[in-house]
Amino acid sequence: MHVVIAPADRGVIATEVDDAGLPTAEPTALRDAEYARYVAQSAPTTRWVWEDTAVSYPPLLRAGVRVERCADLRLCRAILRHSTLSAGSPVATGPRDALDGESPLLGPASAQTLFDIGAEAEHIDPVLEHQRQLATVAAAPEPGRLRLLLAAESAGALAAAEMRFAGLPWSAARHEALLADLLGPRGPAGARPARLEELAREIRAALGAPTLNPDSPQEVLAALRAAGLVVNTTRSADLRRIEHPAIPPLLDYKKRSRILSANGWSWLDTWVVDGRFRADFLPGGVPSGRWAARGGGALQLPKQLRSAVVADPGWKLVVADAAQLEPRVLAALSGDLTMADAGRGRDLYEGIVATGAVPDRNSAKYAMLGAIYGATAGQGGRLLPRLGQAFPRAMGLVEAAARQGERGEAVTTRLGRSTAAAGAGWRDAQWSASSPDASAVDERRARAQARERGRFTRNFVVQGTAAEWALCWLAELRRRLAALPADGGRPELVYFLHDEVLVHTPEVLAGPVAQAVEEAAGAAGRLMFGTFPIDFPLEVAVVDDYGQA
DNA sequence: ATTAACGGCGCG
DNA sequence: AAAGCGCGCCGTTAAT
């Protein structure tokens, strides 16, 4: 059964619908308090259909109610709007409305209540939209692909809301100890900590620039040049090549200063409340289908600080990441049996070395990444031809995706997420560069833009299909975790980072959780690629803090 | 005084 | 360390 939930004054309107989305009963108006009770009493397999999971699910979580399944109409709209599998459908060609674009609840407005959203935001008719989406999927070629994608995307939205609700366990004491170690004691707000001030003095002395602000790239560049160094940027990677007494303290300063500005004491004050770091996770926030995040740089936690993620007493963290996910996805997506063989039961890069295509693991890794990203130079670029001979199907797929992108065409992932059409500016540039009186500059720029779009589409099919695998993994894991006994607390998904998950679990359930993570990965592979013989091995660790993983 | 762009760097 | 993809956020600087 599906139930459509629409925001209304001081509550919601619930409408039961059938498999075609047609109402089977009169809509029911529910006040906020009744809403959670109504959902809790419904069949657990009900699919809850709503505009925004981030709007309609948190009130349920606060009332202690979880749901198994939903359809997030906004996220599904975004997919169906562009997918080549739904091209020409009513959802794809309909006028833009309030369901296109980001959820109104995101960002600092998240203190808003369901009531505010009901009163203020523009709304579409979710019952009608649900009908249109169901019909669009049913009419698509291979409807199973889109159906799986929309279900996985929606399950991801549930997981994202639950992750925000649970929060990432964060030890402020551990974090402060790390900061004291790196920066010295916390000083007055705005003042440079002792350790950074020392380094700044050292840098100024070495460059003979007594007033230099090491945080200003402009000033640093000028001071380096004044000291006779030939530099064009102040990037650490570039500075590392230079021999000069100012460079070591400058690199050290940059490293520590980054920790201060991105994850220092004020970050801790802002983002960690009651031992939990809470951020907004945005499923579908990236065109490829990867998640984005807002608040506290949740997807960029420096490895240096991960030991501040600490399980509660009597609890553990189960940390799992998928090994060499993107190349494995490429092997399966392209049906490249040789490449799939290379990854079976072992490190994929070692397997590539074993084929004789490249000399060592590092070469294999950078050549593969080069193939997926579109490298033209460097070690990755040089080894590409070798990979092309060893794995023609896999390399043929990314090459074809690049050529399609260069022509301005859309490309599509395994389950049906497509790139947006090339922009008007891009098309104009290509068109005018092909005219007989185009200047050499115009032609060069158009070619550069075409290659740039080719790298994007080349990467999109792999990154996007990997994101789909990860979503299926997450959805399957979420289901299995819910089925575990709530033995002194329930295991919670608390973090998801593209190819990596963290589950915070009572210690007694750590084993079953680790098993669930493994089983979910196997299930994801079968959902995505059927019987194609590809492995998705995980590295799983049961630890007390994230730094140990 | 506020906003936008830039250089830089963290993550996958 | 590798230079090719996708992000968010910081301090500085230029623009409004």
Side-chain angles (χ1 to χ4, degrees):
Chain A
M1 184 177 59
H2 295 194
V3 178
V4 181
I5 298 293
D9 273 357
R10 296 169 189 286
V12 303
I13 307 233
T15 309
E16 293 183 17
V17 301
D18 64 16
D19 286 349
L22 299 170
T24 54
E26 283 297 307
T28 316
L30 300 164
R31 309 283 282 235
D32 277 338
E34 299 168 317
Y35 170 39
R37 235 181 354 260
Y38 172 87
V39 172
Q41 287 165 359
S42 301
T45 55
T46 302
R47 188 176 295 278
W48 301 93
V49 180
W50 45 47
E51 275 178 56
D52 279 300
T53 304
V55 171
S56 295
Y57 194 28
L60 300 178
L61 290 170
R62 284 193 290 272
V65 176
R66 307 253 164 166
V67 305
E68 277 182 26
R69 309 198 295 168
C70 82
D72 185 301
L73 294 175
R74 181 182 303 277
L75 294 176
C76 296
R77 161 76 71 84
I79 290 168
L80 296 174
R81 178 66 87 183
H82 293 299
S83 176
T84 52
L85 302 180
S86 54
S89 70
V91 176
T93 59
R96 288 183 64 85
D97 60 28
L99 205 53
D100 289 292
E102 277 202 345
S103 161
L105 194 68
L106 293 170
S110 50
Q112 286 185 315
T113 66
L114 199 54
F115 167 73
D116 296 326
I117 296 300
E120 287 171 11
E122 290 269 321
H123 289 288
I124 48 98
D125 179 343
V127 173
L128 280 180
E129 174 65 16
H130 183 47
Q131 288 168 13
R132 289 204 306 173
Q133 293 191 2
L134 288 171
T136 292
V137 172
E142 301 178 75
R145 287 168 69 185
L146 278 176
R147 199 169 285 130
L148 176 57
L149 176 55
L150 300 187
E153 184 87 338
S154 297
L158 294 175
E162 289 162 2
M163 278 169 43
R164 152 123 212 157
F165 182 71
L168 184 63
W170 194 278
S171 164
R174 196 77 81 84
H175 188 172
E176 280 169 344
L178 290 164
L179 291 178
D181 230 39
L182 287 162
L183 304 169
R186 179 176 196 173
R192 201 175 262 134
R195 191 65 203 273
L196 289 184
E197 196 52 59
E198 266 168 51
L199 287 164
R201 273 199 298 273
E202 230 180 297
I203 296 163
R204 292 186 193 116
L207 290 174
T211 63
L212 173 71
N213 172 10
D215 291 320
S216 164
Q218 245 173 39
E219 290 184 29
V220 170
L221 195 60
L224 291 171
R225 284 175 169 165
L229 299 173
V230 183
V231 281
N232 293 312
T233 80
T234 63
R235 281 195 289 265
S236 294
D238 295 342
L239 297 183
R240 248 181 277 282
R241 292 183 242 274
I242 299 171
E243 239 355 283
H244 187 277
I247 299 300
L250 184 52
L251 292 173
D252 195 12
Y253 179 93
K254 282 169 165 288
K255 189 77 187 161
R256 292 172 200 265
S257 158
R258 163 79 192 189
I259 295 287
L260 173 68
S261 66
N263 298 95
W265 292 281
S266 72
W267 180 91
L268 192 52
D269 292 343
T270 308
W271 295 108
V272 177
V273 177
D274 295 331
R276 294 290 187 267
F277 168 37
R278 288 193 169 80
D280 280 316
F281 293 93
L282 311 183
V286 177
S288 67
R290 276 188 174 184
W291 288 16
R294 296 281 162 75
L299 299 185
Q300 301 126 266
L301 294 180
K303 293 193 165 169
Q304 263 184 297
L305 295 183
R306 290 185 177 184
S307 57
V309 179
V310 182
D312 290 349
W315 290 57
K316 290 281 183 186
L317 292 167
V318 177
V319 182
D321 79 275
Q324 307 104 38
L325 177 59
E326 290 195 350
R328 289 174 188 278
V329 161
L330 172 57
L333 184 62
S334 60
D336 194 316
L337 281 166
T338 318
M339 197 163 150
D341 273 344
R344 187 151 320 109
R346 60 181 163 185
D347 182 287
L348 173 69
Y349 300 131
E350 294 292 1
I352 290 176
V353 174
T355 67
V358 295
D360 55 66
R361 186 178 189 278
N362 258 357
S363 303
K365 178 172 175 179
Y366 285 100
M368 271 312 310
L369 294 179
I372 293 171
Y373 292 157
T376 53
Q379 188 176 1
R382 276 198 306 281
L383 289 164
L384 279 185
R386 311 286 299 275
L387 278 194
Q389 287 182 344
F391 310 112
R393 292 193 67 144
M395 297 304 119
L397 186 141
V398 288
E399 282 301 320
R403 298 292 95 78
Q404 282 175 270
E406 288 168 4
R407 290 193 297 264
E409 298 166 14
V411 296
T412 299
T413 59
R414 174 71 166 203
L415 296 186
R417 196 185 307 260
S418 302
T419 51
W426 188 93
R427 286 187 180 284
D428 284 350
Q430 300 302 316
W431 179 250
S432 47
S434 69
S435 107
D437 49 315
S439 75
V441 174
D442 288 342
E443 284 176 25
R444 200 161 343 108
R445 195 175 44 226
R447 252 199 305 278
Q449 284 179 8
R451 279 195 300 269
E452 192 177 334
R453 190 164 191 280
R455 287 194 299 274
F456 167 63
T457 53
R458 168 198 294 267
N459 186 251
F460 181 95
V461 292
V462 180
Q463 185 183 112
T465 303
E468 287 166 351
W469 180 91
L471 272 181
C472 290
W473 183 35
L474 197 62
E476 289 287 329
L477 174 58
R478 188 179 165 275
R479 225 159 46 77
R480 285 167 170 79
L481 292 181
L484 291 177
D487 203 350
R490 61 155 76 240
E492 289 279 7
L493 266 162
V494 290
Y495 196 57
F496 171 58
L497 188 58
H498 310 314
D499 59 0
E500 184 172 353
V501 296
L502 257 70
V503 179
H504 188 220
T505 179
E507 195 164 358
V508 289
L509 290 177
V513 167
Q515 191 185 342
V517 169
E518 294 278 7
E519 288 170 2
R526 289 186 294 277
L527 278 172
M528 294 282 303
F529 303 111
T531 59
F532 184 81
I534 183 77
D535 281 349
F536 290 101
L538 305 180
E539 286 174 23
V540 184
V542 178
V543 294
D544 293 308
D545 74 68
Y546 192 12
Q548 294 168 356

